[in-house]
């Protein structure tokens, strides 16, 4: 009777160890799956953020390019106006000088 109880306790103890390991293994697999899923979500989120940033840059690039073209055009127009005014001043100065020279003679 005593040896049967000891054998039963040993078998129960081994069964508890076996089922404990089985339970811990199951919990460990679930936890590892959760970690893997979390890391995958984090990776996908980072990839999406890069895509969004790239898209936003593209949206800003077009208006910026238009602005740069406008600035270039304004600078070209200012240069044209500056050259025109310089020519006009030169022409009027020359006319005035020749008109003064003609008046003296």
């Amino acid at each position: 009777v005593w040896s049967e109880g000891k054998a039963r306790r040993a078998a129960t103890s081994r069964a508890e160890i076996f089922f404990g390991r089985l339970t811990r293994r199951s919990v460990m697999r679930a936890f590892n799956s959760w970690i893997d899923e979390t890391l995958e979500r984090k990776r996908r989120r980072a990839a999406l953020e890069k895509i969004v940033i790239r898209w936003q840059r593209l949206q800003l690039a077009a208006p910026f390019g238009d602005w740069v073209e406008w600035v270039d055009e304004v600078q070209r127009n200012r240069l044209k106006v500056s050259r025109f005014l310089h020519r006009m001043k030169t022409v009027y100065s020359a006319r005035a000088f020749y008109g003064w020279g003609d008046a003296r003679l």
Side-chain angles (χ1 to χ4, degrees), residues 6-96:
K6 186 175 181 183
R8 190 177 297 140
R9 282 193 304 270
T12 304
S13 176
R14 279 186 293 209
E16 285 176 354
I17 289 171
F18 173 77
F19 285 113
R21 285 181 183 165
L22 189 63
T23 302
R24 284 191 298 274
R25 188 178 300 154
S26 175
V27 169
M28 183 179 69
R29 283 184 185 152
F31 182 69
N32 286 338
S33 295
W34 176 77
I35 287 175
D36 291 342
E37 182 63 27
T38 301
L39 292 176
E40 179 63 20
R41 283 183 185 172
K42 189 174 181 181
R43 186 192 65 75
R44 275 187 266 146
R45 182 179 295 261
L48 284 174
E49 285 177 0
K50 283 183 180 180
I51 290 170
V52 167
I53 288 171
R54 204 173 293 147
W55 182 65
Q56 288 174 340
R57 284 184 188 156
L58 286 174
Q59 282 186 326
L60 292 176
F64 181 72
D66 293 344
W67 177 78
V68 168
E69 289 176 14
W70 177 78
V71 167
D72 289 341
E73 183 181 350
V74 166
Q75 287 178 341
R76 285 191 304 270
N77 289 341
R78 284 183 181 167
L79 182 61
K80 288 177 185 176
V81 169
S82 174
R83 287 179 179 167
F84 172 76
L85 290 176
H86 177 70
R87 284 186 191 132
M88 292 300 292
K89 287 179 189 176
T90 305
V91 167
Y92 283 123
S93 296
R95 281 185 185 166

